[in-house]
Amino acid sequence: MAIPNRMNGVVLTGHGGLETLVWREDLPVPQPGRDEVLIRVLAAAVNNTDVNTRTGWYSRSVRGDTASGATEGYEPADGAVGGWAGKPLDFPRIQGADCCGEIVAVGADVSRARVGERVLVRTMQSIQGEGNRPSVWTFGSECDGGFAEFAVARGKDALAVTSDLSDVELASFPCAYSTAEGMLQRGVVGAERVLVTGASGGVGSAAIQLAKRRGAHVTAVTSASKAADLLALGADETLDREEELPALAFDVVLDLVGGPRWEKVIGSLRNGGRYVTSGAIAGPIVELDLRTLYLRDLSLLGSTFQPDNVFEDLVRYIEAGEVRPVVSAVFPLRELRAAQEAFLAKSFVGKIGIQVAADSEP
């Protein structure tokens, strides 16, 4: 295909409300570096991380839940706000942690045979940080992402995928499902009793499927209106968000919520149980009695960094049909603000897709 010099896309102009998402028709098409590929973006999706980055929620000065400032944004007090890496972001930034696309050009160190591949882009990309330790480079945060017609990624982070699923369906996988798979691998989850909080969201609904794939008995915490959908996804049972959690009932908790009920969530773990978190939508500040931690031999695990095999495993599951997409609505890229408003209403299960290429089927 003929590659244009300019492209359409949505840029984030700074931390704040929905007004910081600006449609542009004059963005320069990025050029791939030596080890990179140029991707024609076919579809993307909306994630909590896109919203949280926009609002500045990752600033340590923000102590509340993710919803209270999701429309208007927060006013962080410190300078190191924005990205997962705890550093200020460069603006304007093209967000979009999810990307399904087609490779249309390659850098000098990438085989030209890759042109034409349909690919998924790894969201959590590993780089060498200070002291040669691995660090996280998030697609759509530390670099431009999928909310434009073209994007670049390292060749190793653009994984070919063979599937009959649509572009929008494939775009629902990278961020949410790799986050869930990373949590399960970090927690070494097997055929055990597992509790999933925030179970109707993208990561939660992915965690249900991925835990069931491992033979787990899954209890999903959700609202009554979404319970049937989660049972259809594979959850063995559901608990209402306001319902009392059973004590000492679960081997593993996969928590995306945090907030004021955190102590009850910890109390639901059996002695020797593992708690894994990759989110705090109800609030990041919780109280821990260290006696609970050590007297009950609990393991508390955070999960952000992903070894490269996590995404590779996910693509293998997709190609084998072992997980399925949950796309509740699809918006064109130009209507990204409306898509985020729908996302914030939380009246859906799974993901909201973004159709980018005009001839990409939803």
Side-chain angles (χ1 to χ4, degrees):
M1 66 170 291
I3 300 172
N5 294 320
R6 299 288 167 177
M7 65 179 182
N8 299 330
V10 175
V11 299
L12 179 68
T13 59
H15 297 298
L18 290 165
E19 76 284 350
T20 59
L21 297 172
V22 178
W23 173 259
R24 294 270 300 275
E25 298 181 353
D26 60 348
L27 296 170
V29 172
Q31 300 298 308
R34 295 188 63 87
D35 63 345
E36 294 179 328
V37 295
L38 176 66
I39 299 166
R40 175 176 173 252
V41 180
L42 302 173
V46 180
N47 290 282
N48 269 312
T49 184
D50 300 315
V51 176
N52 295 343
T53 297
R54 169 176 61 76
T55 62
W57 183 81
Y58 291 116
S59 167
R60 291 179 62 85
S61 68
V62 177
R63 301 175 67 84
D65 60 43
T66 59
S68 57
T71 301
E72 302 300 326
Y74 297 94
E75 295 183 2
D78 60 67
V81 300
W84 292 66
K87 299 177 182 178
L89 296 187
D90 295 326
F91 296 109
R93 168 67 73 222
I94 298 171
Q95 291 188 282
D98 285 321
C99 176
C100 172
E102 175 190 6
I103 294 178
V104 294
V106 298
D109 294 341
V110 181
S111 171
R112 285 195 54 79
R114 297 204 62 187
V115 173
E117 287 182 356
R118 186 160 70 149
V119 296
L120 291 177
V121 177
R122 192 191 317 267
T123 300
M124 307 300 182
Q125 303 174 3
S126 59
I127 62 171
Q128 293 302 313
E130 294 181 5
N132 212 32
R133 294 182 177 180
S135 184
V136 175
W137 183 269
T138 307
F139 194 66
S141 176
E142 280 64 55
C143 64
D144 286 340
F147 289 159
E149 292 178 312
F150 293 89
V152 294
R154 291 182 302 181
K156 70 185 292 287
D157 293 319
L159 276 68
V161 59
T162 301
S163 172
D164 292 333
L165 294 174
S166 72
D167 299 323
V168 170
E169 287 173 328
L170 285 174
S172 71
F173 286 117
C175 185
Y177 283 69
S178 69
T179 297
E181 178 67 12
M183 294 174 76
L184 287 156
Q185 292 195 19
R186 188 68 54 86
V188 197
V189 176
E192 305 170 276
R193 296 189 69 88
V194 175
L195 179 72
V196 179
T197 69
S200 64
V203 179
S205 59
I208 291 171
Q209 295 186 60
L210 292 165
K212 289 300 297 181
R213 183 187 168 277
R214 288 164 163 81
H217 180 285
V218 178
T219 300
V221 181
T222 188
S223 61
S225 63
K226 300 173 182 176
D229 290 324
L230 299 189
L231 291 171
L233 273 181
D236 295 285
E237 57 186 348
T238 64
L239 292 172
D240 189 82
R241 287 172 182 157
E242 304 305 318
E243 192 173 343
E244 192 71 20
L245 293 174
L248 305 175
F250 304 105
D251 301 296
V252 182
V253 169
L254 304 176
D255 186 25
L256 305 161
V257 176
R261 296 194 70 198
W262 190 82
E263 185 177 3
K264 298 294 185 183
V265 170
I266 292 297
S268 74
L269 276 172
R270 293 171 174 168
N271 290 349
R274 290 103 69 202
Y275 168 92
V276 189
T277 181
S278 190
I281 60 175
I285 309 302
V286 298
E287 184 177 88
L288 170 64
D289 185 334
L290 287 174
R291 291 166 296 190
T292 299
L293 177 62
Y294 73 78
L295 291 175
R296 295 187 52 215
D297 293 300
L298 301 179
S299 297
L300 306 186
L301 303 168
S303 181
T304 293
F305 175 80
Q306 297 172 8
D308 285 351
N309 73 280
V310 169
F311 200 69
E312 294 160 6
D313 291 344
L314 174 60
V315 171
R316 178 166 53 86
Y317 305 157
I318 295 168
E319 292 184 330
E322 296 177 357
V323 292
R324 61 186 178 91
V326 185
V327 179
S328 295
V330 180
F331 289 76
L333 178 59
R334 185 189 289 266
E335 297 179 17
L336 181 60
R337 286 193 195 180
Q340 284 204 7
E341 288 176 326
F343 179 87
L344 295 173
K346 301 297 182 184
S347 60
F348 62 96
V349 172
K351 297 291 291 287
I352 290 179
I354 301 295
Q355 185 175 334
V356 178
D359 57 351
S360 176
E361 292 295 329

